[in-house]
Amino acid sequence: MSDSVWISEVGGGYGNTIETTKHLFSHKSRYQQIDIYETRKLGKLLLLDGIIQLTNYDEFVYHEMLANLPFYAFRNGVPRRALVIGGGDGGVLRELGRHPELETIDICEIDADVIAAAKEYLPETACGYQDERVNVYVEDGSKFIHERKGYYDIIIVDSTDPGGPGEPLFNEEFYTGLKGALREGGIITSQGESAFLLPDIVARLNRITRKVFKYNAYATLHVPTYPTGVIGACMASDHCDVTTPAREVEPELAEKLRYYNSELHKACFVQPNFVRELFK
Ligand code: SPD
């Protein structure tokens, strides 16, 4: 007899279902419902308010790309100061931590309970917190950025979907604040949703970043764990086109990365016609 339970993220007339074998953690925090499962094939699964955030199976795609697209697109020397907004599981921190050039890696996560749960149940991503350059701020990212004017080289917004605590991270005011928190040459990258699943949000993010910044671009990443199997990374800068890397990946690091490479950095911004239409 099977002891498996199929867990679904459903929405927009569509769903993604993953076979789980054990419910490891369930907790209602001040902000959201946090669930962690052991799955049959994909390692551990993290959901926030029923929305799939990651599985061990393919989280490397999302985390490597969110960290490395801005890191290698940066042209004003090398990035020294990075900020992650959201991303309490630690996966983006882990990838940023691979870069010795970074002097400061700040994270601003609104929900301390996500950080605690990740540290207990998701050591594969939460290992990112072990880096001594990491400073943790349990605050609202949309307010935090106003305290750090002209400070960061790269800012990565690893948000949940709009609707929950991530809602303030999807409006023009927030992106104007992000721009203010960048120093010369700065680049932002944010979780950009799927153009198949949430075309209106993708179009909105593109509209906002095009209005607020001089350069903007949308990358597609392949993450089978997410409904529709893809998710976007929305990038913007006032200083440079972000679609080509300024530097090659260092050979030692290139051996460790499983998704990001310089060719993919250029290719992931090429969009099919229906996405180009969304951006008109
Ligand atoms: N629609 C799902 C978006 C999830 C993005 N956040 C992922 C968190 C991984 N660090």
Side-chain angles (χ1 to χ4, degrees):
M1 202 170 73
S2 166
D3 54 356
S4 64
V5 175
W6 290 81
I7 297 295
S8 298
E9 174 189 329
V10 289
Y14 190 94
N16 224 29
T17 307
I18 294 175
E19 186 180 14
T20 67
T21 52
K22 196 170 180 189
H23 200 168
L24 297 170
F25 183 75
S26 174
H27 170 67
K28 176 103 185 131
S29 77
R30 184 174 158 206
Y31 298 100
Q32 58 207 334
Q33 173 65 35
I34 306 168
D35 288 289
I36 301 175
Y37 292 86
E38 188 65 58
T39 73
R40 176 81 59 198
K41 296 274 187 194
L42 310 181
K44 274 164 281 177
L45 161 68
L46 168 68
L47 297 110
L48 298 178
D49 282 341
I51 306 290
I52 296 168
Q53 301 299 313
L54 65 82
T55 65
N56 292 140
Y57 169 67
D58 57 14
E59 55 82 5
F60 67 94
V61 177
Y62 179 85
H63 293 132
E64 282 187 19
M65 292 295 272
L66 257 71
N68 288 314
L69 285 171
F71 185 87
Y72 286 108
F74 190 81
R75 281 167 161 70
N76 190 20
V78 286
R80 301 285 179 202
R81 298 174 187 163
L83 169 66
V84 181
I85 295 176
D89 53 75
V92 176
L93 297 178
R94 181 194 66 206
E95 296 305 319
L96 289 173
R98 298 186 195 275
H99 296 292
E101 297 88 345
L102 286 171
E103 291 163 2
T104 302
I105 307 173
D106 291 346
I107 177 165
C108 181
E109 161 64 58
I110 199 167
D111 194 340
D113 294 356
V114 171
I115 300 175
K119 284 184 174 171
E120 184 158 359
Y121 294 100
L122 301 168
E124 306 84 357
T125 51
C127 60
Y129 286 98
Q130 286 164 11
D131 194 304
E132 58 186 20
R133 296 165 294 170
V134 169
N135 308 296
V136 181
Y137 300 89
V138 178
E139 290 178 42
D140 179 340
S142 65
K143 301 198 171 91
F144 181 83
I145 48 175
H146 297 290
E147 299 159 20
R148 294 286 194 286
K149 294 223 183 294
Y151 189 75
Y152 293 106
D153 295 319
I154 56 176
I155 301 179
I156 294 144
V157 184
D158 181 7
S159 66
T160 56
D161 291 353
E167 181 64 37
L169 310 183
F170 287 84
N171 63 43
E172 185 178 328
E173 195 190 345
F174 175 62
Y175 278 86
T176 306
L178 287 177
K179 175 169 155 159
L182 291 174
R183 64 175 170 174
E184 186 74 18
I187 297 175
I188 63 125
T189 301
S190 50
Q191 190 271 101
E193 301 293 1
S194 159
F196 285 110
L197 192 66
L198 295 170
D200 294 348
I201 306 282
V202 173
R204 192 211 298 178
L205 285 174
N206 186 65
R207 218 169 28 245
I208 293 171
T209 48
R210 192 169 53 200
K211 184 172 170 196
V212 173
F213 293 88
K214 191 165 165 200
Y215 302 92
N216 79 321
Y218 178 82
T220 302
L221 329 177
H222 300 100
V223 186
T225 277
Y226 293 141
T228 72
V230 292
I231 197 158
C234 183
M235 293 188 70
S237 173
D238 258 357
H239 300 272
C240 59
D241 172 24
V242 293
T243 62
T244 50
R247 294 174 305 288
E248 288 293 314
V249 182
E250 302 72 11
E252 217 173 284
L253 177 56
E255 279 179 23
K256 295 188 184 127
L257 297 180
R258 297 174 66 203
Y259 195 83
Y260 179 89
N261 60 51
S262 303
E263 289 72 36
L264 191 69
H265 187 134
K266 293 173 247 174
C268 67
F269 293 101
V270 178
Q271 292 301 337
N273 292 348
F274 85 95
V275 178
R276 289 181 180 180
E277 273 303 310
L278 277 180
F279 295 163
K280 276 189 181 161

